[in-house]
Amino acid sequence: MIEEKLGAPVGTALDRFIARRQEEFPFASGELSQLLRDIALASKIINREINRAGLAGIEGQADRENVQGEIQQKLDIASNIRFKRALMYGGETCAILSEEEADPIITDEAGAKYIVAIDPLDGSSNIDVNVSVGTIFSIYRRQSMAGAKLTPSELLQPGREQVAAGYILYGSSTMLVYTTGYGVNGFTLEPSLGEYFLSHPDMRMEANGSIYSINDGLYDQFSPGLVSYIQTCRKRGYKARYIGSLVADIHRNLLKGGIFIYPGTPSHPNGKLRLLYEGNPMAFLIEQAGGLASDGEGRIMDIGPSEIHQRTPLIIGSKVMVEELLEMLKEA
Ligand code: AHM
Ligand code: MG
């Protein structure tokens, strides 16, 4: 079994872990490994900036809006710049799709093989109040020959085509969690060494759980099926846990078992979260850990995107919980 072959002892440094995995894949040329290292490096710089934000005067709003009309935080802009630089100078990325950029960034790297979708700093409105934030990334292989002009369909591949995805959680400790389709592994940043070490090997999500995470302020707009499910959770005495920072909410549920729901509502039928750099990477990770991710009708990773900033309802988490909610949505 390849999964067994890929095992690595706890405490392995991220670079070594990535290199060891690459050796296991025949024909792997190392570019994906380098790309993952580039992302890890940029995340360390952002981690430093987040930690110092209050002192450096870089928390708060930037008096600018992104393409979706949302007010950007100063750290949204700084994180976007850090990741863009890391990905562009790294040389493995031919296109970057960022939550903070209206259009795809096509790099000059004619031979580069990978397309990266990224939310550089998710939940950034939480920074001012010292609550966890995150970075979410998703990696696709280009389909055209190196050097050819990228086609729109290459930039809009369904999530099932992802070759890697992950998140960085800037929390009480900073963690990088990623998958390349052979399970999920979590690394914790050792700040004094500036290095990520394997701390959560082969992460698996409980098939069932007792945590539900949803913005209860939207309750009056929930569909009848969703209302029944939430009432069921309450009757069973499940814990309601919602940080409002996707990475932190998903990370907790991944470790403890649970369901995260961001539904569509009559005013926002596709909800709030973005398919390419929030829904798909989280779906890839959670499925790899044994969970499920749906938009209420089908698998998140089977959605064929029509535009890069597309939104999607998101129901994601422990398999039994997601299945039960989907059943109730169907019956209602
Ligand atoms: P952002 O990408 O603009 O930071 O927004 C995404 C965040 C997620 O982290 C979180 O799950 C969600 O917005 C919370 O939204 P709400 O405040 O509507 O519950
Ligand atoms: Mg976001």
Side-chain angles (χ1 to χ4, degrees), residues 66 68 70-71 73 76 99-100 119-126 132-134 136 214-218 242-250 260-262 272-274 277-278 311 314:
N66 66 13
Q68 291 137 96
E70 296 159 343
I71 294 171
Q73 306 286 315
D76 279 330
E99 177 177 328
E100 305 303 334
D119 183 349
L121 201 60
D122 184 72
S124 50
S125 57
N126 283 317
S132 302
V133 290
I136 312 169
I214 192 164
N215 180 349
D216 189 67
L218 300 172
Y242 188 74
I243 298 168
S245 210
L246 182 68
V247 176
D249 278 312
I250 296 272
F260 175 94
I261 306 158
Y262 205 111
K272 174 180 182 189
L273 301 176
R274 271 55 57 117
Y277 33 82
E278 292 169 333
R311 295 175 195 263
L314 183 62

Side-chain angles (χ1 to χ4, degrees), residues 22-324:
Q22 189 199 313
E23 286 163 15
E24 311 271 356
F25 293 104
F27 314 119
S29 53
E31 283 124 319
L32 180 60
S33 303
Q34 188 53 46
L35 181 49
L36 290 167
R37 284 191 207 104
D38 295 343
I39 290 172
L41 177 61
S43 78
K44 290 180 202 170
I45 300 171
I46 291 160
N47 181 60
R48 190 187 61 193
E49 282 170 354
I50 290 170
N51 287 167
R52 301 168 53 235
L55 293 172
I58 49 173
E59 89 275 47
Q61 298 179 352
D63 300 325
R64 271 201 236 167
E65 288 184 354
N66 66 13
V67 60
Q68 291 137 96
E70 296 159 343
I71 294 171
Q72 286 181 304
Q73 306 286 315
K74 289 178 196 160
L75 273 166
D76 279 330
I77 298 168
S79 308
N80 190 43
I81 292 170
R82 296 292 182 204
F83 275 107
K84 262 191 332 194
R85 280 188 195 157
L87 296 172
M88 288 167 85
Y89 299 156
E92 297 82 26
T93 311
C94 56
I96 305 166
L97 314 173
S98 165
E99 177 177 328
E100 305 303 334
E101 302 277 342
D103 300 309
I105 299 167
I106 309 296
T107 72
D108 293 333
E109 296 299 333
K113 280 191 198 152
Y114 293 102
I115 297 163
V116 180
I118 193 156
D119 183 349
L121 201 60
D122 184 72
S124 50
S125 57
N126 283 317
I127 288 174
D128 293 1
V129 290
N130 222 343
V131 167
S132 302
V133 290
T135 294
I136 312 169
F137 62 91
S138 166
I139 304 176
Y140 295 83
R141 198 170 279 119
R142 79 179 295 164
Q143 292 165 334
S144 54
M145 299 290 288
K149 194 169 184 294
L150 284 169
T151 61
S153 67
E154 285 180 275
L155 301 175
L156 294 171
Q157 300 180 48
R160 60 174 180 266
E161 302 295 339
Q162 291 171 102
V163 293
Y167 59 74
I168 294 108
L169 173 61
Y170 309 99
S172 43
S173 58
T174 295
M175 281 193 70
L176 186 151
V177 176
Y178 84 98
T179 182
T180 53
Y182 296 95
V184 180
N185 288 284
F187 299 78
T188 301
L189 183 67
E190 215 298 3
S192 61
L193 297 174
E195 180 65 90
Y196 286 103
F197 290 95
L198 183 63
S199 52
H200 295 63
D202 195 17
M203 298 169 84
R204 302 294 302 165
M205 186 164 202
E206 293 290 339
N208 206 349
S210 54
I211 293 176
Y212 68 105
S213 312
I214 192 164
N215 180 349
D216 189 67
L218 300 172
Y219 190 83
D220 289 346
Q221 299 181 58
F222 291 171
S223 67
L226 181 53
V227 166
S228 312
Y229 183 74
I230 299 301
Q231 284 171 351
T232 304
C233 291
R234 289 176 182 168
K235 276 193 206 116
R236 288 179 187 158
Y238 285 3
K239 288 192 172 83
R241 292 285 182 271
Y242 188 74
I243 298 168
S245 210
L246 182 68
V247 176
D249 278 312
I250 296 272
H251 184 71
R252 181 204 50 241
N253 290 3
L254 170 57
L255 292 180
K256 296 189 176 237
I259 187 168
F260 175 94
I261 306 158
Y262 205 111
T265 57
S267 56
H268 295 88
N270 290 321
K272 174 180 182 189
L273 301 176
R274 271 55 57 117
L275 176 62
L276 264 66
Y277 33 82
E278 292 169 333
N280 276 336
M282 289 306 193
F284 192 20
L285 282 165
I286 292 298
E287 283 197 11
Q288 279 294 313
L292 291 179
S294 167
D295 66 351
E297 286 175 2
R299 189 177 172 229
I300 286 286
M301 289 201 286
D302 284 340
I303 299 173
S306 50
E307 57 120 354
I308 62 171
H309 297 295
Q310 178 169 337
R311 295 175 195 263
T312 180
L314 183 62
I315 298 169
I316 185 166
S318 292
K319 189 169 177 289
V320 172
M321 298 180 89
V322 171
E323 281 170 346
E324 186 178 16

